[in-house]
Amino acid sequence: MCYNEPVSWITFFIGSLFTLLNLYKFKNFKEIVVISIYWFSAVTMQIWEALIHRYKNNQELCELFSKSARINNYIQPIVWVLLLFNTKKYDMNFFIKALTVFVILTFYYNEIYPKNMIDKCAWTPKGIKYEWLVKRTPFIYVVVNVLLMYLLLKEKYRRYQIFLFLSSLGLSFIIRYGYFSGSIWCWIAALLPLVNYIYFTYYNPPNH
């Protein structure tokens, strides 16, 4: 949850630049393309947070952009579903995996976003605080994303992406700028595409 508007825009453009670099360099490797799109969904949160900061005194617009941030976060795990179709064999294993993913996502959306959810303006004098990101929501979010990575990513990339996901979240809660945990997440999200670029280029090239 970025701590001001200028930093939100800066981190959005940095994350977008490195995402485009990954999409161009690894365009022939579907799994890396999906990984890049997944992390870009974290980068795009900075658009809504920049607008939340800008329109903090306009209740209607602030609530609208807070809701947009929730929807952005809502669709993030769905990106991994694209990997289901990275196969030429639609056999029983495929359908079992697809059913498992469906059950996980159904549980996720029923638990994390109650039907009576009201989107309040996320801006506070101490930083951005989302009403929907409270209590057990972060735990469910982490578990579901890790499960989907484990199920859908190939072994070649699985452990590293899970490590990247968990360590980046942990780092954002350990280091903070301002009052709330996660306040430097915008910088972490912006640099994760660069980390992946270095990893896929020098440490685990897709064609090796």
Side-chain angles (χ1 to χ4, degrees), residues 76-126:
Q76 189 175 6
I78 297 178
V79 175
W80 293 123
V81 177
L82 296 172
L83 291 175
L84 268 176
F85 305 99
N86 190 25
T87 181
K88 296 179 180 179
K89 288 180 63 179
Y90 294 95
D91 53 12
M92 185 57 67
N93 288 333
F94 169 83
F95 288 108
I96 291 173
K97 186 179 289 188
L99 179 61
T100 304
V101 169
F102 176 77
V103 170
I104 291 172
L105 288 176
T106 301
F107 166 79
Y108 175 68
Y109 292 126
N110 283 335
E111 288 292 319
I112 204 167
Y113 298 118
K115 293 182 176 62
N116 61 350
M117 171 65 68
I118 298 174
D119 292 289
K120 298 179 181 179
C121 177
W123 188 88
T124 76
K126 294 180 179 179

Side-chain angles (χ1 to χ4, degrees), residues 61-88:
L61 285 177
C62 187
E63 288 177 0
L64 174 63
F65 297 130
S66 299
K67 182 175 183 177
S68 300
R70 175 166 68 88
I71 294 171
N72 194 130
N73 185 268
Y74 187 94
I75 64 175
Q76 189 175 6
I78 297 178
V79 175
W80 293 123
V81 177
L82 296 172
L83 291 175
L84 268 176
F85 305 99
N86 190 25
T87 181
K88 296 179 180 179

